[in-house]
Amino acid sequence: IYLGAKHMMTGYDHLLFLLGVIFFIYRIQNVIIYVSLFAAGHVITLLSGVLLEISINAYIIDAIIGFSIVYKALDNMGAYQCWFGFQPNNKVATVLFGLLHGFGLAAKILEYNISADGLLANLIFFNIGVEIGQILALIIILIAMNFWRKSSSFMQLAYKANVFIMILGFLIIGFQITGYSVQ
């Protein structure tokens, strides 16, 4: 598993999605709820994807992960309310995208054809490491966000920040579709 983790993405795509999820969440209890929902979805498909050998093309699933980033940025900008007149359920969306993000890691792990000996234990410890890294990165993000939220520029720049997050999501989609096209 370590070899696979060493060569995988850095997780910036997962963190971009979670940044979008927590962007307008001010209470730590709600941050914990949403991050836990994402992690639950992530764990379910990471473990089941690898153990059941559910192989989804990594480029396709990573393009969908890019879409999740675009989706959340648009949500933060009020697009769904404006376009469709309703607000999608953010908790359901967070779990669903967590499930898709887990398949992204599972696809990458499956590429390494790891032996079944000790696979479950290795996957559990790998996932614990992923979640610890994600939590540490989120703590840094939350500290920075809290400082920014206290400034007068936060509401003025929040829309532009989400446009930037959306652009990064589109870049991930484009990169992954290009990779899929030339593989």
Side-chain angles (χ1 to χ4, degrees):
I1 296 278
Y2 176 73
L3 178 64
K6 183 176 174 186
H7 292 94
M8 279 192 224
M9 289 183 143
T10 59
Y12 65 86
D13 50 350
H14 300 267
L15 291 173
L16 271 174
F17 176 74
L18 284 172
L19 172 62
V21 168
I22 66 168
F23 198 89
F24 287 118
I25 298 176
Y26 294 87
R27 298 184 66 200
I28 193 68
Q29 297 90 338
N30 291 334
V31 169
I32 291 168
I33 289 168
Y34 278 90
V35 171
S36 297
L37 289 170
F38 178 78
H42 190 269
V43 168
I44 289 167
T45 51
L46 170 62
L47 293 176
S48 63
V50 172
L51 295 174
L52 299 174
E53 296 183 22
I54 300 170
S55 182
I56 299 173
N57 183 288
Y59 289 111
I60 299 296
I61 199 69
D62 284 344
I64 294 169
I65 289 170
F67 170 77
S68 73
I69 295 164
V70 171
Y71 171 91
K72 191 57 200 162
L74 284 169
D75 182 36
N76 287 344
M77 295 186 297
Y80 307 119
Q81 189 68 38
C82 179
W83 295 343
F84 308 115
F86 76 96
Q87 176 60 45
N89 185 313
N90 285 320
K91 289 179 180 171
V92 170
T94 301
V95 170
L96 291 175
F97 284 125
L99 291 167
L100 292 168
H101 281 243
F103 275 128
L105 272 177
K108 290 174 183 81
I109 291 171
L110 285 171
E111 289 176 0
Y112 288 96
N113 296 321
I114 298 168
S115 168
D117 293 338
L119 181 60
L120 180 59
N122 283 329
L123 281 174
I124 290 169
F125 286 111
F126 171 76
N127 195 67
I128 290 170
V130 166
E131 298 305 332
I132 289 171
Q134 183 173 274
I135 288 168
L136 293 174
L138 278 173
I139 289 170
I140 293 167
I141 290 168
L142 281 170
I143 290 169
M145 288 291 296
N146 282 331
F147 279 114
W148 185 32
R149 288 173 180 159
K150 292 176 185 176
S151 75
S152 60
S153 68
F154 178 70
M155 288 312 289
Q156 296 167 344
L157 296 176
Y159 188 89
K160 290 177 183 175
N162 278 283
V163 168
F164 182 68
I165 291 169
M166 182 178 61
I167 289 169
L168 293 175
F170 277 125
L171 286 172
I172 291 170
I173 293 168
F175 178 75
Q176 297 305 327
I177 289 173
T178 301
Y180 179 76
S181 305
V182 299
Q183 69 176 348

